[in-house]
Amino acid sequence: MIKLSDIEEIASKFILASPLNKVKELDIEIYEVPVFSVAGACDPLFMKLKDEDVISSNHMAPTEWLAGAKSVISYFLPFSYEVRKSNIGAGLPSKEWLYGRIEGEKCNNALRDFIASELKEEGYEAVVPALDERFKVENRKSNWSERHAAYIAGLGTFSLSKSLITSRGCAGRFGSIITNLPLEPNNRPYNDIYDYCTFCGACILRCPSGAITSSGKDTAVCSAYIDKEILSRYKPRYGCGKCQTMVPCEHSIP
């Protein structure tokens, strides 16, 4: 039977070898090797995500995506040093960060699909919510949250900026695969959703839109800024990432 270590090995090889993980125009790699963790598909926290004060009643549990699901494989892809370093300046995001956000997500999607295909070749069922035709976003809320799945799997906790802080920091992208492969769930080495955040306020000072305050992040303000200031300039690329760079949680747990 496939073990998590097997999945980690093939995923790392994929990222290191994939041409999708390179931006030729800028001569950089987008990601470093991913960090993995597993949640049980029937973990009661997945049902908690249906609460309106958490995500929404439209959020689908793993067993709704895949009948008979046993495991949720979650991973974090840390942005490379070159991508992170490029975005330390104030103001508009760097070109490297924008490529990391858009071309990087194409690479992330390829990794999601690759892992699911490998599981299927071994005789297991696998669903990638982010690539499934049932996936949707309404009022800035999706029916599958990669960050919340990662939290449940033990990868990290949330920050004031609503990023998820992992052992490799918060600057990067998440992905997940739901499968009927039975894997041992990882323990969550934390008790609270903000255990890894020190509330230092660095992300408040970094945010060019003023969306982050000591009370948290206003996603509507953040989205409006990105649409008006970034997408209008760099379409089809967009993003910002200032709250994930030049902060104590950029590449480690503070």
Side-chain angles (χ1 to χ4, degrees):
M1 186 173 71
I2 302 175
K3 298 179 292 186
L4 181 60
S5 58
D6 299 323
I7 296 170
E8 291 174 324
E9 182 179 357
I10 62 172
S12 294
K13 289 180 178 178
F14 179 91
I15 286 298
L16 292 174
S18 175
L20 294 174
N21 193 35
K22 297 173 176 62
V23 181
K24 291 182 179 179
E25 299 94 318
L26 305 176
D27 192 29
I28 61 167
E29 290 191 343
I30 300 172
Y31 297 120
E32 297 174 355
V33 295
V35 181
F36 279 82
S37 198
V38 174
C42 293
D43 191 305
L45 284 185
F46 281 112
M47 297 307 294
K48 184 69 175 174
L49 302 184
K50 290 179 175 290
D51 291 355
E52 292 297 332
D53 60 345
V54 180
I55 299 181
S56 82
S57 58
N58 292 327
H59 195 276
M60 294 171 61
T63 51
E64 292 177 292
W65 289 101
L66 175 65
K70 296 288 192 300
S71 309
V72 178
I73 302 168
S74 179
Y75 62 83
F76 175 64
L77 277 167
F79 279 135
S80 68
Y81 173 76
E82 289 76 17
V83 171
R84 291 187 283 107
K85 180 182 178 182
S86 72
N87 205 39
I88 64 175
L92 296 173
S94 68
K95 183 182 293 186
E96 290 86 347
W97 186 272
L98 295 175
Y99 272 86
R101 176 64 183 84
I102 304 305
E103 276 73 9
E105 191 60 10
K106 294 177 182 178
C107 178
N108 188 13
N109 283 338
L111 177 60
R112 289 176 170 113
D113 187 60
F114 170 73
I115 295 171
S117 297
E118 290 293 307
L119 289 169
K120 290 174 182 177
E121 282 191 15
E122 293 295 326
Y124 299 99
E125 294 181 77
V127 169
V128 179
L131 301 180
D132 192 279
E133 62 182 8
R134 294 168 292 173
F135 180 78
K136 59 183 178 180
V137 180
E138 295 178 340
N139 298 319
R140 294 189 292 275
K141 292 183 178 182
S142 63
N143 60 353
W144 179 256
S145 169
E146 299 287 16
R147 288 174 300 135
H148 286 80
Y151 171 84
I152 295 171
L155 272 178
T157 76
F158 289 88
S159 68
L160 192 62
S161 67
K162 293 191 177 180
S163 298
L164 196 80
I165 304 171
T166 74
S167 61
R168 299 294 304 279
C170 65
R173 302 293 294 170
F174 291 89
S176 60
I177 301 93
I178 300 170
T179 178
N180 65 350
L181 167 67
L183 293 168
E184 183 69 25
N186 290 87
N187 292 324
R188 286 188 286 272
Y190 40 76
N191 298 307
D192 184 77
I193 61 172
Y194 295 114
D195 271 2
Y196 292 167
C197 182
T198 64
F199 294 92
C200 67
C203 58
I204 298 175
L205 300 176
R206 289 282 292 164
C207 180
S209 69
I212 307 171
T213 67
S214 58
S215 300
K217 181 179 180 179
D218 188 326
T219 54
V221 172
C222 176
S223 295
Y225 168 79
I226 290 175
D227 288 346
K228 181 180 178 181
E229 302 296 336
I230 312 302
L231 188 59
S232 62
R233 284 182 169 89
Y234 303 110
K235 189 177 182 178
R237 296 182 182 87
Y238 61 91
C240 177
K242 297 301 179 178
C243 65
Q244 295 182 348
T245 50
M246 278 294 285
V247 292
C249 55
E250 175 186 318
H251 57 85
S252 63
I253 299 170

